[in-house]
Amino acid sequence: MESESKSDFVWTRKHLIGLKDLSRRELEHIFSTADAFRPVGGNRVMKFPTLRGRLVVNMFFEDSTRTRNSFALAAKRLSADTLDFTKKASAVSKGETLVDTARNIVSMGVDMIVIRHNAGGAPLLLSRAVDVPIINAGDGFNEHPTQALLDTYTIRAHRGSLDGLKIAIVGDIAHSRVARSDIYAMTKLGAEVTLVGPPTLMPPKVSQLPVKVSTSLDDVIEEVDVINMLRIQFERMGSNPFPSVREYSRFFALTVDRLKRAKPDILVMHPGPLNRGVEIESEVADSPNSVILEQVAHGITTRMAVMLLVSQAAAMEKN
Amino acid sequence: MTQLLDKKQIDQAISRLADMIIESSGDEVVILGIRDRGEILSERLSKIITSRAGKTALSGALDITLYRDDITEPSGAMRAVQPSYIPCPLNDKEIILADDVLHTGRSCRAALDAIVAYGRPRLIKLAVLIDRGGREYPIQADYTGVKLEVRDDQKVRVTLEEYGDIDQAVLE
């Protein structure tokens, strides 16, 4: 075949550090690439030879099962070998710096690093220190770009586009890197985002974000097309931001009663893990409106797309 | 730029391909065109075979980008990936793989990998509009519209109406 591809867009980013600087066109390019990884005909798992012979290391300095497994599966479905790396099992626990650790790993022939770290900026630091693509799997309170990609991809799968959609992100915004990446992605794709939660869980400088803010879920529930419920991240809090979990649930949980007042086709999302009975009632999480499990499935395909694109960009840089 | 085939010659070549496929295939074939031009070839062949012989000739589109061996190599081409369109399960089917130009054989190699990822066909045959020679892999077409001898440093480009151009093949 000698014909050129119909798309003339060329992805040039060797790293995926965050969505703050990504353009709408780049987001759409990730989505169209992910489309190619969706299973065709039943549940048959498609495996592609694209990254055969490559080694991807998962460097997770924070506990994670869902995201780590999702990245590992994405790498495997692209035929890459994977290496798991945890803080406990590394020389970081002996005092080695993150950069030195990463340089050692790259010297072993690693072709790509997926990193989760409790310090915001760690992936950016690595991207400047080593020569292989870096993918951010969540850094501190900063960003969780692939989660936002799978969130927006899931909405696009149901609605075709995010243009004009009203989306509420509810709960612990202050401690949520997911919310931050979601805001960047959703607003660039044309959605109107409202952050909902108690004032104590709003991030500082929220007024500088391109969003609306509400302290009442009841005020917005009837008008939104998508609602993304966040988990309260007690482990990240120094002090209690609200009097009790019960009181929080009374005002901010997505309950069956609240869902009845919402648009009939509202999409209910959650980045997981769920705290059933706290931010979302069990019946709502399992309702026909819930796309939570689809989010998990789309996590693999969107991460495959990102891995492919950064690999191509790295290859282009060497050319 | 030299014109190799005009619209009439392209029509004749596709018509000839359709006749050859009708003559030697079963009552049901699945034609999978390699994106982008092969997809159009597949659609045109499907229409002709269906109308001329009343056979079932489903048409699909195969994106082989993910099966190329150079997609993440420094020497590789940056290609945007698109979804394939597979019109039915491929198990036990007679598949006609369709492409506009057969050159090195590497695209067909990738396409064979792509097809077997979707299922286990009974038979796969290759139909090309133009065989320009210059093979690097041991792959030959079962059905050839036009056979040409073209130097390695020259490029055969097919343009088609479906992409807003005119039907022709040119030498660049």
Side-chain angles (χ1 to χ4, degrees):
Chain A
M1 187 178 70
E2 303 201 349
S3 52
E4 300 299 322
S5 169
K6 275 187 280 188
S7 169
D8 56 1
F9 179 83
V10 176
W11 176 273
T12 56
R13 290 182 191 268
K14 182 180 161 186
H15 310 288
L16 183 73
I17 306 299
L19 302 187
K20 188 176 183 180
D21 299 326
L22 255 61
S23 67
R24 178 177 179 138
R25 186 70 191 80
E26 285 174 309
L27 292 169
E28 285 169 348
H29 190 71
I30 295 171
F31 294 158
S32 64
T33 305
D35 285 340
F37 294 121
R38 288 173 79 167
V40 178
N43 295 321
R44 187 186 172 90
V45 172
M46 296 285 287
K47 189 159 176 167
F48 302 89
T50 318
L51 296 187
R52 191 160 48 203
R54 307 299 170 100
L55 181 56
V56 176
V57 63
N58 272 332
M59 290 178 75
F60 276 60
F61 293 91
E62 279 184 348
D63 290 338
S64 161
T65 306
R66 188 183 320 246
T67 305
R68 188 161 48 81
N69 286 342
S70 182
F71 270 111
L73 265 178
K76 287 179 204 299
R77 290 196 187 165
L78 291 171
S79 303
D81 291 316
T82 57
L83 186 64
D84 255 341
F85 177 98
T86 57
K87 187 179 177 182
K88 276 181 197 163
S90 79
V92 172
S93 61
K94 298 175 189 167
E96 188 177 59
T97 67
L98 174 65
V99 167
D100 280 339
T101 303
R103 283 179 176 156
N104 272 294
I105 283 177
V106 171
S107 299
M108 294 176 196
V110 162
D111 299 288
M112 184 187 301
I113 295 176
V114 177
I115 178 172
R116 166 169 288 197
H117 203 283
N118 55 5
L124 181 63
L125 178 74
L126 275 199
S127 72
R128 290 170 178 168
V130 297
D131 197 31
V132 300
I134 306 292
I135 299 177
N136 181 3
D139 63 330
F141 299 162
N142 182 36
E143 283 217 48
H144 192 351
T146 56
Q147 175 70 43
L149 288 171
L150 73 90
D151 288 345
T152 43
Y153 186 81
T154 302
I155 298 170
R156 172 183 172 272
H158 279 268
R159 298 294 162 83
S161 146
L162 273 72
D163 274 315
L165 292 184
K166 291 186 174 178
I167 302 174
I169 302 175
V170 184
D172 186 358
I173 314 290
H175 301 95
S176 176
R177 53 197 175 205
V178 173
R180 197 177 286 264
S181 288
D182 267 348
I183 290 165
Y184 295 137
M186 289 169 179
T187 53
K188 278 174 190 167
L189 293 166
E192 181 188 296
V193 175
T194 304
L195 305 180
V196 185
T200 48
L201 288 180
M202 286 296 157
K205 299 181 183 173
V206 68
S207 60
Q208 293 176 13
L209 296 169
V211 294
K212 291 181 176 178
V213 176
S214 172
T215 54
S216 168
L217 180 53
D218 288 316
D219 284 354
V220 302
I221 188 68
E222 289 169 18
E223 64 185 36
V224 295
D225 303 288
V226 179
I227 189 161
N228 194 8
M229 304 304 299
L230 304 178
R231 183 176 65 91
I232 303 294
Q233 302 191 51
F234 292 108
E235 72 277 14
R236 295 179 188 275
M237 295 175 188
S239 58
N240 279 347
F242 41 78
S244 72
V245 169
R246 198 169 160 188
E247 182 162 319
Y248 174 85
S249 296
R250 189 148 64 89
F251 288 104
F252 297 105
L254 190 55
T255 59
V256 172
D257 285 343
R258 284 201 172 99
L259 191 64
K260 281 178 187 163
R261 290 172 44 212
K263 291 183 179 176
D265 61 348
I266 187 173
L267 298 180
V268 174
M269 308 181 79
H270 194 301
L274 298 173
N275 278 336
R276 290 174 183 261
V278 179
E279 70 272 2
I280 190 164
E281 275 187 357
S282 224
E283 283 175 61
V284 177
D286 302 329
S287 71
N289 295 89
S290 169
V291 292
I292 295 169
L293 294 177
E294 280 179 52
Q295 287 176 268
V296 177
H298 289 151
I300 297 170
T301 45
T302 47
R303 288 177 175 122
M304 288 169 79
V306 169
M307 285 179 166
L308 167 67
L309 293 171
V310 297
S311 300
Q312 282 187 311
M316 195 168 63
E317 190 182 272
K318 284 184 185 162
N319 193 354
Chain B
M1 195 177 80
T2 316
Q3 191 180 61
L4 297 169
L5 302 176
D6 61 17
K7 179 176 168 45
K8 191 177 169 193
Q9 289 167 312
I10 284 187
D11 281 345
Q12 285 170 343
I14 294 175
S15 178
R16 205 159 41 242
L17 283 174
D19 281 338
M20 285 189 274
I21 294 169
I22 289 167
E23 204 169 298
S24 64
S25 67
D27 289 339
E28 188 185 338
V29 293
V30 181
I31 310 173
L32 297 177
I34 298 178
R35 283 191 196 278
D36 293 323
R37 307 306 190 274
E39 180 183 357
I40 303 303
L41 180 62
S42 164
E43 285 167 9
R44 292 193 190 179
L45 284 171
S46 166
K47 275 183 198 159
I48 297 171
I49 293 168
T50 307
S51 66
R52 206 173 280 175
K55 292 189 179 192
T56 304
L58 297 175
S59 173
L62 204 60
D63 190 284
I64 59 161
T65 311
L66 293 165
Y67 294 89
R68 290 175 63 99
D69 53 14
D70 63 348
I71 185 170
T72 54
E73 294 299 320
S75 57
M78 292 289 287
R79 289 171 185 276
V81 183
Q82 297 172 64
S84 294
Y85 171 65
I86 308 296
C88 64
L90 301 186
N91 284 343
D92 298 324
K93 291 286 194 305
E94 181 174 349
I95 309 289
I96 309 290
L97 179 62
D99 204 0
D100 57 346
V101 179
L102 177 59
H103 182 199
T104 62
R106 288 175 188 269
S107 295
C108 289
R109 198 279 313 154
L112 291 173
D113 276 355
I115 290 172
V116 297
Y118 285 103
R120 190 174 182 279
R122 184 177 63 80
L123 174 69
I124 305 175
K125 290 184 174 177
L126 175 62
V128 297
L129 185 63
I130 299 169
D131 180 351
R132 57 157 288 176
R135 217 78 76 238
E136 292 171 5
Y137 280 10
I139 284 174
Q140 302 298 335
D142 298 283
Y143 312 110
T144 303
V146 178
K147 201 166 172 58
L148 302 169
E149 289 297 326
V150 176
R151 289 203 321 263
D152 276 352
D153 61 341
Q154 292 178 309
K155 188 166 185 171
V156 176
R157 182 182 293 275
V158 175
T159 63
L160 296 168
E161 285 170 354
E162 285 84 343
Y163 290 129
D165 220 318
I166 56 168
D167 277 6
Q168 65 172 356
V170 296
L171 189 64
E172 293 178 339

